[in-house]
Amino acid sequence: MKDKCNRKIKHIRFSVTDKCNFNCIYCDNEGFIPKTTELTVEEIKKICRLLAEILNVTRIKFTGGEPLSRKDIIPIIQQVSDLGLYKDISMTTNGYLLYEKAEDLVRAGLNRINVSLPSLKPDVYKKITGSDSLSKVLKGLNKAKEVGLFPIKINYVMLKGLNDLELEDFIEFSAKTGYILQLIELHARSDAIGKEKEFYVKYHLDLSDIIKSLVEKAVDVKIRGLMQNRKVLFLSNGAIVEAIHPSHEFCMGCTKLRVGCDGNLFGCLYRADRGKNIKNDLNLNSLEHFEKVIREVVDSREPYY
Ligand code: SAM
């Protein structure tokens, strides 16, 4: 299904909880208002089936809050994988519970993982995430690699004056481990959860120049057309860096549909208010009804919000 700007929906970003064991200072809450009720495993499975059948999507990313803090996260992955409709099941996590759960996640059908890692320095890591657990997360990453989650991506949100001088360390780390480094520009939070302009002004760093200089040094550059036209840079030391930098190309390349943990279906991180909650409709069993609702949400998608 395409939206009014000819952008085809190709993947789903599904938040399974709004609860998190961390308190990252930059967190956007995935665009929705916290303190909502969570869908059950059965409801998640139903929504995933409907979305796959109606939209023909085969890619899904689970997120949160912290998805691994949901006690039934393994059955969630298992049930969605058992549908046999998704060929790419991934997750973004803070990694705190990865060491314990990585093996079961793979067994349940998880293919790959993104781990938020805002610093390689324990004190800075704690300052940003509120959790003194860098070594535990690094152990979790090792485990994830060992059990075959691939590729592993590191989400490094750059914050001016806090962790921005660690870029070279992250590039080295990426080359050494084989993890793909996602260099992420801080974005402002949506109105729905309350924009904090002061925070944004204080920590936002425009990554244009950094990306430009990395592009100049790169031995190869590709564009991920599937994912917001992101640049993928192959550096001479073997590191792979993906740049996530909000821009016109970024919005025009957006192919995502989002589901909040309460069942709100929405088309843009910044426009959860334009969503439609489908939780109460799930027992209707009318494909026609869901096609209509999904069409409305897809039609509400507009670049630049
Ligand atoms: N708890 C999980 C985690 O830490 O990965 C999943 C939820 S978290 C909201 C998902 C990702 O959103 C993080 O990896 C981070 O890269 C990104 N993110 C959150 N707030 C952001 C912001 N204000 N600007 C840029 N990226 C942000």
Side-chain angles (χ1 to χ4, degrees):
M1 193 182 284
K2 286 185 175 173
D3 66 15
K4 288 175 174 164
C5 297
N6 208 29
R7 297 173 301 173
K8 192 170 177 198
I9 303 300
K10 294 182 182 162
H11 46 212
I12 307 299
R13 191 169 176 102
F14 203 131
S15 169
V16 290
T17 181
D18 61 358
K19 295 177 190 63
C20 191
N21 47 353
F22 280 20
N23 192 16
C24 299
I25 55 173
Y26 56 76
C27 186
D28 61 11
N29 288 76
E30 299 279 340
F32 59 88
I33 306 137
K35 300 203 174 48
T36 44
T37 51
E38 286 173 4
L39 298 166
T40 63
V41 179
E42 202 46 45
E43 288 166 337
I44 292 172
K45 183 182 177 182
K46 259 190 182 175
I47 294 176
C48 289
R49 175 188 284 130
L50 282 165
L51 292 172
E53 285 175 354
I54 294 170
L55 293 166
N56 277 321
V57 283
T58 56
R59 296 165 184 270
I60 188 160
K61 171 159 271 128
F62 290 101
T63 181
E66 173 47 41
L68 293 185
S69 68
R70 245 192 99 143
K71 295 217 164 26
D72 50 8
I73 190 63
I74 305 295
I76 290 173
I77 301 295
Q78 184 76 61
Q79 295 278 324
V80 173
S81 171
D82 285 351
L83 289 171
L85 297 168
Y86 289 93
K87 66 170 194 209
D88 178 37
I89 304 179
S90 65
M91 178 182 288
T92 173
T93 169
N94 59 33
Y96 185 79
L97 294 168
L98 196 50
Y99 186 82
E100 290 96 303
K101 301 202 185 229
E103 210 162 349
D104 288 342
L105 286 166
V106 171
R107 224 174 275 133
L110 190 76
N111 303 118
R112 59 188 184 89
I113 205 151
N114 287 33
V115 177
S116 297
L117 196 64
S119 177
L120 292 167
K121 296 181 177 160
D123 55 330
V124 180
Y125 183 90
K126 185 175 178 200
K127 198 169 175 184
I128 296 174
T129 63
S131 178
D132 193 6
S133 48
L134 176 61
S135 59
K136 186 170 157 75
V137 171
L138 293 176
K139 226 173 111 190
L141 273 161
N142 271 334
K143 187 73 176 181
K145 189 173 175 181
E146 197 184 298
V147 298
L149 287 167
F150 183 84
I152 293 174
K153 297 191 181 183
I154 299 299
N155 285 6
Y156 167 38
V157 178
M158 263 196 159
L159 302 166
K160 187 169 65 191
L162 259 185
N163 64 2
D164 52 333
L165 298 181
E166 292 187 53
L167 178 59
E168 288 306 319
D169 295 345
F170 268 103
I171 288 175
E172 275 302 305
F173 176 71
S174 164
K176 204 174 86 198
T177 56
Y179 307 149
I180 295 173
L181 179 63
Q182 298 213 109
L183 192 59
I184 304 177
E185 182 164 322
L186 179 73
H187 51 240
R189 300 179 207 190
S190 77
D191 283 331
I193 62 164
K195 273 187 185 160
E196 283 182 48
K197 202 160 184 296
E198 265 172 49
F199 177 87
Y200 181 74
V201 170
K202 183 167 175 196
Y203 292 113
H204 174 252
L205 185 65
D206 183 333
L207 299 189
S208 313
D209 288 346
I210 292 172
I211 295 167
K212 205 169 145 218
S213 90
L214 287 175
V215 167
E216 279 162 13
K217 280 193 238 160
V219 290
D220 196 10
V221 180
K222 293 201 163 77
I223 304 287
R224 277 186 76 193
L226 247 184
M227 277 300 281
Q228 295 141 336
N229 297 321
R230 291 177 190 177
K231 282 197 176 81
V232 186
L233 319 174
F234 298 82
L235 305 184
S236 58
N237 69 349
I240 301 176
V241 181
E242 285 189 16
I244 303 174
H245 165 57
S247 64
H248 275 215
E249 294 81 31
F250 187 82
C251 273
M252 285 316 296
C254 178
T255 53
K256 263 183 222 163
L257 201 66
R258 293 172 175 265
V259 190
C261 65
D262 56 348
N264 187 34
L265 195 65
F266 59 115
C268 170
L269 176 65
Y270 284 96
R271 296 311 306 259
D273 59 314
R274 285 192 189 168
K276 295 254 181 283
N277 197 306
I278 56 170
K279 180 184 155 103
N280 293 332
D281 299 348
L282 287 176
N283 48 5
L284 289 178
N285 281 330
S286 156
L287 207 57
E288 216 184 333
H289 170 76
F290 287 107
E291 270 170 5
K292 190 170 157 273
V293 174
I294 291 172
R295 177 84 260 169
E296 277 172 36
V297 175
V298 170
D299 280 349
S300 79
R301 279 165 45 91
E302 275 176 10
Y304 334 122
Y305 340 122

